[in-house]
Amino acid sequence: MGASLSNLTEGSNGSGHGPGLGDIPESCVACVFMYLTPPEICNLARLNRAFRGAASSDSVWESKLPPNYHDLLDLLPPQMYQNLSKKDIFALLSRPIPFDDDNKLVWIDRVTGRVCTSVSAKAMAITGIEDRRYWNWIPTEESRFHVVAYLQQIWWFEVDGVVKFPFPADIYTLSFRLHIGRFSKRLGRRVCNFEHTHGWDIKPVRFELSTSDGQQASYECCLDQIEHDDAYGNHKRGCWVDYKVGEFTVTNSDPVTEVRFSMKQIDCTHSKGGLCVDSVFIVPSDLKGRKRIGVLK
């Protein structure tokens, strides 16, 4: 069977036993590749020379790039992408690209080529962030931005942010990435401390988003309901959890879409604390299910 598979792969030129995959014209293979995902194309490129050539075709990889990929390239120095093939450009853009003082990231999904963004807590307006009695910045490898904001205690909790970007046409989900309790490493093991955690089970936090074309969404929930697991079966305490705010639709990347978002709990009848704020994610809605909840970048 191994010999038969080898003959099929090599084709008549290599084996003399009749036509095989190696005899398919490269242009035909490229047409088939238009319907496959980038990981599938890379796997099939190992079969033979024709598949390898088709897997490097600019026409194939341009079809996998978002229609406004030049807007992403504009965030990079020209010398990083000049003279690159479309395949190499796809690989370049699939790695996070920082912008706005390195406090925001944009990248394309490696399977679908669709645009995703993330906004660091550093780019948000956080009430009391400059007062170390309330907030501290914690360095960590558990964030794409290598730092998260940790709330010790406060009465008026409010976080606001905005991102302005030429999102390509799609339906997007916006979510906050939060962590109940403070985490650290001790003797090589991850441990969580809930000493300051309080107040999140009394009144709900309100999440909101709005777009420059008038779309709005909101969501309310109590962050610290330890008797309930989240939708993925994880306890909320001690894990990073994505809190979905809502969805918005982009029909065209021009004009540029501005998205404003916030979360607040401003009932001053009680204090709250013990919460880590990492970032906000904006990703195409049907990709959200692939994102794993837990300790991850």
Side-chain angles (χ1 to χ4, degrees), residues 96-113:
I97 301 169
F99 65 103
D100 282 5
D101 297 325
D102 295 345
N103 290 324
K104 297 173 185 176
L105 299 173
V106 62
W107 66 96
I108 61 174
D109 180 71
R110 294 182 180 181
V111 176
T112 65

PDB file of all heavy atoms in Angstrom, residues 96-113:
ATOM      1  N   PRO A  96       0.737  39.054  15.965  1.00  0.00           N
ATOM      2  CA  PRO A  96       0.177  40.321  16.451  1.00  0.00           C
ATOM      3  C   PRO A  96       1.047  41.521  16.090  1.00  0.00           C
ATOM      4  O   PRO A  96       2.266  41.504  16.280  1.00  0.00           O
ATOM      5  CB  PRO A  96       0.121  40.116  17.972  1.00  0.00           C
ATOM      6  CG  PRO A  96       0.032  38.633  18.146  1.00  0.00           C
ATOM      7  CD  PRO A  96       0.861  38.052  17.048  1.00  0.00           C
ATOM      8  N   ILE A  97       0.398  42.555  15.566  1.00  0.00           N
ATOM      9  CA  ILE A  97       1.071  43.799  15.185  1.00  0.00           C
ATOM     10  C   ILE A  97       0.647  44.889  16.163  1.00  0.00           C
ATOM     11  O   ILE A  97      -0.543  45.207  16.266  1.00  0.00           O
ATOM     12  CB  ILE A  97       0.696  44.208  13.758  1.00  0.00           C
ATOM     13  CG1 ILE A  97       1.073  43.112  12.768  1.00  0.00           C
ATOM     14  CG2 ILE A  97       1.356  45.529  13.377  1.00  0.00           C
ATOM     15  CD1 ILE A  97       0.499  43.324  11.379  1.00  0.00           C
ATOM     16  N   PRO A  98       1.579  45.482  16.894  1.00  0.00           N
ATOM     17  CA  PRO A  98       1.211  46.540  17.843  1.00  0.00           C
ATOM     18  C   PRO A  98       0.965  47.876  17.147  1.00  0.00           C
ATOM     19  O   PRO A  98       1.571  48.175  16.124  1.00  0.00           O
ATOM     20  CB  PRO A  98       2.432  46.613  18.774  1.00  0.00           C
ATOM     21  CG  PRO A  98       3.576  46.127  17.944  1.00  0.00           C
ATOM     22  CD  PRO A  98       3.009  45.130  16.969  1.00  0.00           C
ATOM     23  N   PHE A  99       0.061  48.667  17.707  1.00  0.00           N
ATOM     24  CA  PHE A  99      -0.156  50.037  17.245  1.00  0.00           C
ATOM     25  C   PHE A  99      -0.685  50.862  18.413  1.00  0.00           C
ATOM     26  O   PHE A  99      -0.960  50.322  19.486  1.00  0.00           O
ATOM     27  CB  PHE A  99      -1.107  50.084  16.033  1.00  0.00           C
ATOM     28  CG  PHE A  99      -2.528  49.645  16.280  1.00  0.00           C
ATOM     29  CD1 PHE A  99      -3.546  50.577  16.400  1.00  0.00           C
ATOM     30  CD2 PHE A  99      -2.853  48.301  16.374  1.00  0.00           C
ATOM     31  CE1 PHE A  99      -4.860  50.185  16.601  1.00  0.00           C
ATOM     32  CE2 PHE A  99      -4.162  47.895  16.587  1.00  0.00           C
ATOM     33  CZ  PHE A  99      -5.169  48.840  16.704  1.00  0.00           C
ATOM     34  N   ASP A 100      -0.806  52.170  18.212  1.00  0.00           N
ATOM     35  CA  ASP A 100      -1.210  53.088  19.288  1.00  0.00           C
ATOM     36  C   ASP A 100      -0.338  52.901  20.531  1.00  0.00           C
ATOM     37  O   ASP A 100      -0.808  52.467  21.590  1.00  0.00           O
ATOM     38  CB  ASP A 100      -2.696  52.897  19.636  1.00  0.00           C
ATOM     39  CG  ASP A 100      -3.624  53.566  18.632  1.00  0.00           C
ATOM     40  OD1 ASP A 100      -3.115  54.103  17.621  1.00  0.00           O
ATOM     41  OD2 ASP A 100      -4.841  53.533  18.830  1.00  0.00           O
ATOM     42  N   ASP A 101       0.944  53.228  20.388  1.00  0.00           N
ATOM     43  CA  ASP A 101       1.913  53.130  21.497  1.00  0.00           C
ATOM     44  C   ASP A 101       2.046  51.701  22.030  1.00  0.00           C
ATOM     45  O   ASP A 101       2.292  51.496  23.234  1.00  0.00           O
ATOM     46  CB  ASP A 101       1.526  54.076  22.639  1.00  0.00           C
ATOM     47  CG  ASP A 101       1.548  55.535  22.211  1.00  0.00           C
ATOM     48  OD1 ASP A 101       2.417  55.903  21.392  1.00  0.00           O
ATOM     49  OD2 ASP A 101       0.685  56.306  22.678  1.00  0.00           O
ATOM     50  N   ASP A 102       1.862  50.728  21.165  1.00  0.00           N
ATOM     51  CA  ASP A 102       2.011  49.306  21.503  1.00  0.00           C
ATOM     52  C   ASP A 102       0.965  48.821  22.503  1.00  0.00           C
ATOM     53  O   ASP A 102       1.109  47.725  23.072  1.00  0.00           O
ATOM     54  CB  ASP A 102       3.412  49.016  22.068  1.00  0.00           C
ATOM     55  CG  ASP A 102       4.501  49.242  21.051  1.00  0.00           C
ATOM     56  OD1 ASP A 102       4.183  49.337  19.847  1.00  0.00           O
ATOM     57  OD2 ASP A 102       5.680  49.331  21.445  1.00  0.00           O
ATOM     58  N   ASN A 103      -0.108  49.585  22.702  1.00  0.00           N
ATOM     59  CA  ASN A 103      -1.152  49.193  23.647  1.00  0.00           C
ATOM     60  C   ASN A 103      -2.348  48.529  22.969  1.00  0.00           C
ATOM     61  O   ASN A 103      -3.318  48.162  23.634  1.00  0.00           O
ATOM     62  CB  ASN A 103      -1.628  50.408  24.446  1.00  0.00           C
ATOM     63  CG  ASN A 103      -0.583  50.893  25.428  1.00  0.00           C
ATOM     64  OD1 ASN A 103       0.147  50.093  26.013  1.00  0.00           O
ATOM     65  ND2 ASN A 103      -0.498  52.204  25.607  1.00  0.00           N
ATOM     66  N   LYS A 104      -2.260  48.368  21.651  1.00  0.00           N
ATOM     67  CA  LYS A 104      -3.300  47.668  20.904  1.00  0.00           C
ATOM     68  C   LYS A 104      -2.622  46.726  19.913  1.00  0.00           C
ATOM     69  O   LYS A 104      -1.506  46.994  19.458  1.00  0.00           O
ATOM     70  CB  LYS A 104      -4.209  48.659  20.175  1.00  0.00           C
ATOM     71  CG  LYS A 104      -4.969  49.588  21.119  1.00  0.00           C
ATOM     72  CD  LYS A 104      -5.730  50.671  20.391  1.00  0.00           C
ATOM     73  CE  LYS A 104      -6.379  51.646  21.383  1.00  0.00           C
ATOM     74  NZ  LYS A 104      -7.055  52.767  20.704  1.00  0.00           N
ATOM     75  N   LEU A 105      -3.288  45.629  19.610  1.00  0.00           N
ATOM     76  CA  LEU A 105      -2.741  44.633  18.694  1.00  0.00           C
ATOM     77  C   LEU A 105      -3.772  44.292  17.630  1.00  0.00           C
ATOM     78  O   LEU A 105      -4.983  44.287  17.886  1.00  0.00           O
ATOM     79  CB  LEU A 105      -2.365  43.350  19.438  1.00  0.00           C
ATOM     80  CG  LEU A 105      -1.299  43.426  20.532  1.00  0.00           C
ATOM     81  CD1 LEU A 105      -1.188  42.095  21.255  1.00  0.00           C
ATOM     82  CD2 LEU A 105       0.050  43.816  19.940  1.00  0.00           C
ATOM     83  N   VAL A 106      -3.290  43.987  16.438  1.00  0.00           N
ATOM     84  CA  VAL A 106      -4.151  43.493  15.373  1.00  0.00           C
ATOM     85  C   VAL A 106      -3.427  42.342  14.682  1.00  0.00           C
ATOM     86  O   VAL A 106      -2.195  42.356  14.557  1.00  0.00           O
ATOM     87  CB  VAL A 106      -4.512  44.617  14.368  1.00  0.00           C
ATOM     88  CG1 VAL A 106      -3.267  45.167  13.679  1.00  0.00           C
ATOM     89  CG2 VAL A 106      -5.524  44.121  13.334  1.00  0.00           C
ATOM     90  N   TRP A 107      -4.172  41.344  14.259  1.00  0.00           N
ATOM     91  CA  TRP A 107      -3.590  40.200  13.552  1.00  0.00           C
ATOM     92  C   TRP A 107      -4.691  39.524  12.746  1.00  0.00           C
ATOM     93  O   TRP A 107      -5.877  39.837  12.909  1.00  0.00           O
ATOM     94  CB  TRP A 107      -2.966  39.197  14.538  1.00  0.00           C
ATOM     95  CG  TRP A 107      -3.942  38.500  15.441  1.00  0.00           C
ATOM     96  CD1 TRP A 107      -4.507  37.271  15.268  1.00  0.00           C
ATOM     97  CD2 TRP A 107      -4.483  39.004  16.677  1.00  0.00           C
ATOM     98  NE1 TRP A 107      -5.358  36.981  16.306  1.00  0.00           N
ATOM     99  CE2 TRP A 107      -5.357  38.016  17.187  1.00  0.00           C
ATOM    100  CE3 TRP A 107      -4.304  40.188  17.402  1.00  0.00           C
ATOM    101  CZ2 TRP A 107      -6.061  38.186  18.386  1.00  0.00           C
ATOM    102  CZ3 TRP A 107      -5.002  40.356  18.591  1.00  0.00           C
ATOM    103  CH2 TRP A 107      -5.858  39.372  19.080  1.00  0.00           C
ATOM    104  N   ILE A 108      -4.304  38.618  11.854  1.00  0.00           N
ATOM    105  CA  ILE A 108      -5.294  37.852  11.109  1.00  0.00           C
ATOM    106  C   ILE A 108      -5.299  36.420  11.619  1.00  0.00           C
ATOM    107  O   ILE A 108      -4.255  35.868  11.987  1.00  0.00           O
ATOM    108  CB  ILE A 108      -5.052  37.902   9.587  1.00  0.00           C
ATOM    109  CG1 ILE A 108      -3.694  37.313   9.215  1.00  0.00           C
ATOM    110  CG2 ILE A 108      -5.180  39.326   9.074  1.00  0.00           C
ATOM    111  CD1 ILE A 108      -3.480  37.202   7.707  1.00  0.00           C
ATOM    112  N   ASP A 109      -6.477  35.841  11.661  1.00  0.00           N
ATOM    113  CA  ASP A 109      -6.631  34.457  12.109  1.00  0.00           C
ATOM    114  C   ASP A 109      -5.928  33.522  11.129  1.00  0.00           C
ATOM    115  O   ASP A 109      -6.064  33.654   9.916  1.00  0.00           O
ATOM    116  CB  ASP A 109      -8.121  34.116  12.188  1.00  0.00           C
ATOM    117  CG  ASP A 109      -8.357  32.697  12.637  1.00  0.00           C
ATOM    118  OD1 ASP A 109      -8.113  32.396  13.816  1.00  0.00           O
ATOM    119  OD2 ASP A 109      -8.788  31.884  11.780  1.00  0.00           O
ATOM    120  N   ARG A 110      -5.169  32.577  11.648  1.00  0.00           N
ATOM    121  CA  ARG A 110      -4.344  31.719  10.800  1.00  0.00           C
ATOM    122  C   ARG A 110      -5.156  30.725   9.973  1.00  0.00           C
ATOM    123  O   ARG A 110      -4.639  30.171   9.007  1.00  0.00           O
ATOM    124  CB  ARG A 110      -3.330  30.956  11.662  1.00  0.00           C
ATOM    125  CG  ARG A 110      -2.302  31.872  12.315  1.00  0.00           C
ATOM    126  CD  ARG A 110      -1.289  31.099  13.112  1.00  0.00           C
ATOM    127  NE  ARG A 110      -0.315  31.995  13.737  1.00  0.00           N
ATOM    128  CZ  ARG A 110       0.699  31.589  14.490  1.00  0.00           C
ATOM    129  NH1 ARG A 110       0.862  30.294  14.709  1.00  0.00           N
ATOM    130  NH2 ARG A 110       1.535  32.460  15.005  1.00  0.00           N
ATOM    131  N   VAL A 111      -6.399  30.485  10.347  1.00  0.00           N
ATOM    132  CA  VAL A 111      -7.226  29.538   9.603  1.00  0.00           C
ATOM    133  C   VAL A 111      -8.107  30.254   8.580  1.00  0.00           C
ATOM    134  O   VAL A 111      -8.238  29.806   7.439  1.00  0.00           O
ATOM    135  CB  VAL A 111      -8.097  28.700  10.565  1.00  0.00           C
ATOM    136  CG1 VAL A 111      -9.036  27.782   9.790  1.00  0.00           C
ATOM    137  CG2 VAL A 111      -7.217  27.885  11.509  1.00  0.00           C
ATOM    138  N   THR A 112      -8.675  31.383   8.972  1.00  0.00           N
ATOM    139  CA  THR A 112      -9.641  32.054   8.102  1.00  0.00           C
ATOM    140  C   THR A 112      -9.108  33.328   7.457  1.00  0.00           C
ATOM    141  O   THR A 112      -9.702  33.829   6.506  1.00  0.00           O
ATOM    142  CB  THR A 112     -10.910  32.424   8.894  1.00  0.00           C
ATOM    143  OG1 THR A 112     -10.561  33.402   9.898  1.00  0.00           O
ATOM    144  CG2 THR A 112     -11.500  31.191   9.568  1.00  0.00           C
ATOM    145  N   GLY A 113      -8.024  33.895   7.983  1.00  0.00           N
ATOM    146  CA  GLY A 113      -7.501  35.144   7.452  1.00  0.00           C
ATOM    147  C   GLY A 113      -8.318  36.356   7.839  1.00  0.00           C
ATOM    148  O   GLY A 113      -8.134  37.443   7.277  1.00  0.00           O
TER     149      GLY A 113
END
